[in-house]
Amino acid sequence: APCVAGERLCSTEEATAGSGTYTRHGFIFSSLAGCLERRNEDSELPVVSVVRDSESQLLPNVGAVVTCKV
């Protein structure tokens, strides 16, 4: 499912935060625009992550230094 940066994805009781996400106040949020992935790994809770197409490099990664004109 597509999601935008800053979108609340689910509670930390429902899943574990993976790449492309962050946690705040007991919820997992998307840190970038992309597609939501929910994987069941060895842990009890599924891992929620947000991934982007490798082709779309228009948006900077989290932590990237950017220059802009306002």
Side-chain angles (χ1 to χ4, degrees):
C3 59
V4 295
E7 182 176 341
R8 187 168 75 177
L9 303 174
C10 65
S11 167
T12 53
E13 296 175 359
E14 300 173 39
T16 304
S19 63
T21 66
Y22 63 94
T23 58
R24 180 171 288 153
H25 304 299
F27 291 96
I28 300 174
F29 293 85
S30 172
S31 63
L32 47 86
C35 290
L36 177 63
E37 266 189 7
R38 187 180 290 252
R39 291 188 319 268
N40 287 327
E41 295 183 347
D42 295 336
S43 62
E44 295 176 7
L45 296 175
V47 176
V48 171
S49 54
V50 178
V51 295
R52 288 194 298 211
D53 291 339
S54 57
E55 296 175 7
S56 72
Q57 294 300 320
L58 222 55
L59 299 173
N61 291 325
V62 174
V65 176
V66 297
T67 304
C68 65
K69 182 178 180 180
V70 178

